[in-house]
C-alpha cells in the first residue's frame, strides 16, 4: 500500500525534529532544499540561503547538550508540490554540561512553528521553517505591568 502525500510530509516533518534531537548535522542538511531556503528561529532575525540557515543549526547543535521535541496540534495542508505544516513544539532542552560534567538545567519552551516543504525527486524537502515563541500567562502579565 502506497503512502499518501500527507503521510510522506508528516514523515519529513518528524524526521526534521528527530534529526535535531540526535544532533545529526549531516542528516539535517539533507532534509533541506539545495537553494532558496529560509529560517526564523524564535527571537532571531530572518536567515536566508543554505549557508546561513545550516550554520544556525550547527551553532544550535554545538550549544545544546540535550533537546527533545513533543509535537502537538500538527496539521498538514497540500497545494500541488508545496506542503504547509503547522505545529506546536513543546521543547525540553539543556545547555552544555557544567564543570561537574552534569547536564545543565533543563528548560521547557513552547514554540509554534510553520514548516514549508517542497516535493522533489528525492521526496519532500524543507523549504522554510519559522518558529515563534508562545508567551505564557505569567510572561504576558509581566509585560503589561505598569511601573510603580
Amino acid at each position: 500500500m502506497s503512502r499518501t502525500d500527507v503521510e510522506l510530509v508528516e514523515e519529513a516533518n518528524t524526521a526534521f525534529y528527530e534529526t535535531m534531537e540526535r544532533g545529526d548535522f549531516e542528516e539535517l542538511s539533507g532534509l533541506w532544499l539545495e537553494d532558496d531556503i529560509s529560517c526564523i528561529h524564535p527571537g532571531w532575525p530572518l536567515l536566508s540561503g543554505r549557508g546561513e540557515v545550516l550554520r544556525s543549526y550547527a551553532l544550535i547543535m554545538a550549544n545544546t547538550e540535550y533537546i527533545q521535541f513533543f509535537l502537538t496540534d500538527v496539521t498538514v495542508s497540500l497545494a500541488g508540490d508545496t506542503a504547509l505544516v503547522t505545529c506546536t513544539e513543546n521543547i525540553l532542552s539543556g545547555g552544555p554540561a557544567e564543570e561537574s560534567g552534569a547536564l545543565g538545567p533543563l528548560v521547557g519552551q513552547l514554540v509554534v512553528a510553520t514548516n514549508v516543504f517542497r516535493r522533489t525527486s528525492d521526496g519532500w524537502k524543507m523549504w522554510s521553517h519559522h518558529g515563534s515563541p508562545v508567551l505564557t500567562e505569567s510572561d504576558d502579565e509581566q509585560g503589561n505591568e505598569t511601573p510603580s
Side-chain angles (χ1 to χ4, degrees):
M1 183 169 132
S2 67
R3 294 172 294 173
T4 66
D5 282 335
V6 169
E7 289 170 327
L8 292 170
V9 170
E10 286 173 344
E11 288 173 12
N13 193 64
T14 299
F16 171 70
Y17 290 101
E18 289 177 349
T19 301
M20 281 288 296
E21 288 178 351
R22 285 194 308 275
D24 188 335
F25 181 76
E26 291 303 315
E27 187 176 333
L28 182 82
S29 299
L31 299 176
W32 287 84
L33 288 172
E34 288 299 318
D35 57 0
D36 194 31
I37 63 174
S38 66
C39 179
I40 301 175
H41 298 293
W44 290 42
L46 169 66
L47 303 173
S48 296
R50 194 166 168 82
E52 268 191 15
V53 170
L54 293 181
R55 268 192 300 278
S56 74
Y57 282 97
L59 183 63
I60 290 168
M61 288 177 174
N63 290 291
T64 305
E65 191 76 22
Y66 174 85
I67 191 162
Q68 189 170 11
F69 296 91
F70 301 94
L71 301 182
T72 56
D73 310 314
V74 179
T75 62
V76 177
S77 301
L78 291 168
D81 290 336
T82 303
L84 178 72
V85 179
T86 57
C87 60
T88 301
E89 303 172 355
N90 302 271
I91 305 169
L92 186 60
S93 62
E98 297 174 356
E99 286 182 27
S100 65
L103 181 65
L106 292 178
V107 177
Q109 185 180 14
L110 207 56
V111 173
V112 289
T114 301
N115 297 322
V116 183
F117 292 86
R118 212 164 62 197
R119 186 196 321 262
T120 72
S121 57
D122 292 326
W124 291 93
K125 300 288 184 178
M126 184 80 78
W127 188 2
S128 182
H129 168 78
H130 183 169
S132 182
V134 175
L135 299 179
T136 62
E137 245 180 76
S138 60
D139 291 339
D140 191 40
E141 287 168 7
Q142 288 172 357
N144 291 331
E145 288 179 5
T146 52
S148 43

